[in-house]
Amino acid sequence: MEFLGRRRSVPGARPADRATGFRLDPAGATGEAAAPTGRDLAAAYDLIYAVAAGKDYQREARDVTALIRRRNPAATSMLDVACGTGLHLSHLRHEFAHVEGLEISDAMRQAAVERLPGVPVHAGDMRDFRLGRTFGAVTCLFSAIGYAQSVDELRQTLHCLAAHLEPGGVLLLEPWFTPQQWILGPVDLGAARDHHRHVTRTCYSGRSGTVSTMTMHYVLDESGAGVRQWVEEHAMTLFTQKQYHSAIRKAGLCDIEWLPGWRDQRRRVVAVKR
């Protein structure tokens, strides 16, 4: 199972709670292993998804562009909410005259800033942000919306996304798994390397009611810097398709269309602001 890893915190952050959906435990380090830095978190994220899982950000960005152009040919600007390390934006910036990102994690945002010189990447929470402008398109990809911790938060997030769309603007959302799609218990193993780092990750999934849980154990080896080891705990809400659809409609969007997912059962949804 491919998993979204939008980190909601960094080392030294507050303990896990349902308000954030994320907890990081650097105390998992043993022996000579050290706690991870923010740069470690971002590097591990990119290696696991772009390399180990083979996520094709360039192809997805082309698809995003086509879906937006089909519904709003005049779109010249776009905002990617929960943009992570900016891998989608690194391609989308060549398709639109103006792009911006929003990310809650300091570590991920810093990686995006370094990857995207000249592109504004704002610090902010998708549930409540105000950028003071609107865009021809707004995206929220790789199931980041699953970090909304209740139906009320889902609605709040959709209202916030819609508020940043200009009339005729397009919302593209990639939801998390539904309750029927979530598979309980599998252990997912991933490993990848670049020129000087090697990362391994073991992920175990669980469920409590309508909340999916993932416990991820990371080990990152880097030439000349030793070993870092940490545990991440993620909690993401299993909303139904009906709940997503209702929240999108209540946010004032129309022409709602559900599309097949890029890699698995997670469908994408597109809507327009009139």
Side-chain angles (χ1 to χ4, degrees):
M1 180 191 74
E2 179 185 292
F3 172 70
L4 162 75
R6 299 281 190 216
R7 289 159 180 84
R8 311 293 288 187
S9 182
V10 294
R14 58 189 175 276
D17 57 46
R18 282 287 291 155
T20 62
F22 173 80
R23 177 176 181 267
L24 185 143
D25 179 18
T30 58
E32 297 300 318
T37 65
R39 189 177 294 273
D40 291 335
L41 301 183
Y45 178 90
D46 284 349
L47 283 169
I48 287 295
Y49 293 108
V51 180
K55 184 172 176 63
D56 192 338
Y57 288 91
Q58 184 175 28
R59 181 182 67 84
E60 291 180 9
R62 287 198 301 265
D63 194 22
V64 167
T65 301
L67 290 170
I68 292 170
R69 297 276 189 233
R70 197 173 304 147
R71 292 158 180 81
N72 184 13
T76 59
S77 62
M78 71 153 301
L79 170 68
D80 187 18
V81 175
C83 67
T85 63
L87 282 169
H88 279 119
L89 278 175
S90 68
H91 302 289
L92 291 166
R93 68 182 305 186
H94 302 298
E95 303 293 342
F96 297 88
H98 181 81
V99 300
E100 298 186 21
L102 181 98
E103 174 57 41
I104 193 172
S105 161
D106 290 339
M108 306 289 264
R109 188 179 74 84
Q110 184 57 40
V113 168
E114 293 174 4
R115 174 171 278 127
L116 304 166
V119 173
V121 182
H122 308 276
D125 188 325
M126 65 181 180
R127 297 169 294 188
D128 184 19
F129 67 95
R130 297 169 183 82
L131 301 184
R133 63 156 296 170
T134 55
F135 300 83
V138 173
T139 59
C140 186
L141 304 173
F142 213 176
S143 300
I145 193 68
Y147 283 110
Q149 301 293 289
S150 66
V151 172
D152 284 344
E153 283 196 5
L154 176 65
R155 291 172 179 165
Q156 180 182 346
T157 302
L158 265 298
H159 273 284
C160 202
L161 299 178
H164 287 80
L165 281 171
E166 60 192 31
V170 178
L171 171 71
L172 176 56
L173 183 71
E174 188 178 5
W176 182 234
F177 293 99
T178 67
Q180 294 75 28
Q181 293 171 340
W182 184 245
I183 300 174
L184 186 66
V187 175
D188 178 68
L189 304 175
R193 67 170 63 245
D194 59 16
H195 295 300
H196 58 282
R197 286 173 297 212
H198 178 265
V199 62
T200 58
R201 186 193 70 177
T202 303
C203 176
Y204 175 80
S205 62
R207 177 172 177 173
S208 177
T210 60
V211 178
S212 59
T213 60
M214 286 70 58
T215 300
M216 301 179 176
H217 296 258
Y218 281 86
V219 178
L220 179 68
D221 307 279
E222 184 173 4
S223 300
V227 179
R228 272 85 74 204
Q229 183 173 324
W230 67 95
V231 178
E232 295 178 5
E233 296 178 4
H234 298 256
M236 300 176 70
T237 307
L238 300 167
F239 296 112
T240 66
Q241 182 171 315
K242 182 177 180 180
Q243 288 170 328
Y244 281 115
H245 199 97
S246 175
I248 293 169
R249 183 173 52 80
K250 288 180 182 295
L253 303 177
C254 60
D255 299 334
I256 302 171
E257 183 180 359
W258 289 86
L259 304 168
W262 277 309
R263 293 171 63 88
D264 52 35
Q265 301 177 74
R266 286 174 285 180
R267 301 179 70 190
R268 296 164 295 154
V269 59
V270 185
V272 178
K273 183 174 183 177
R274 297 301 184 192

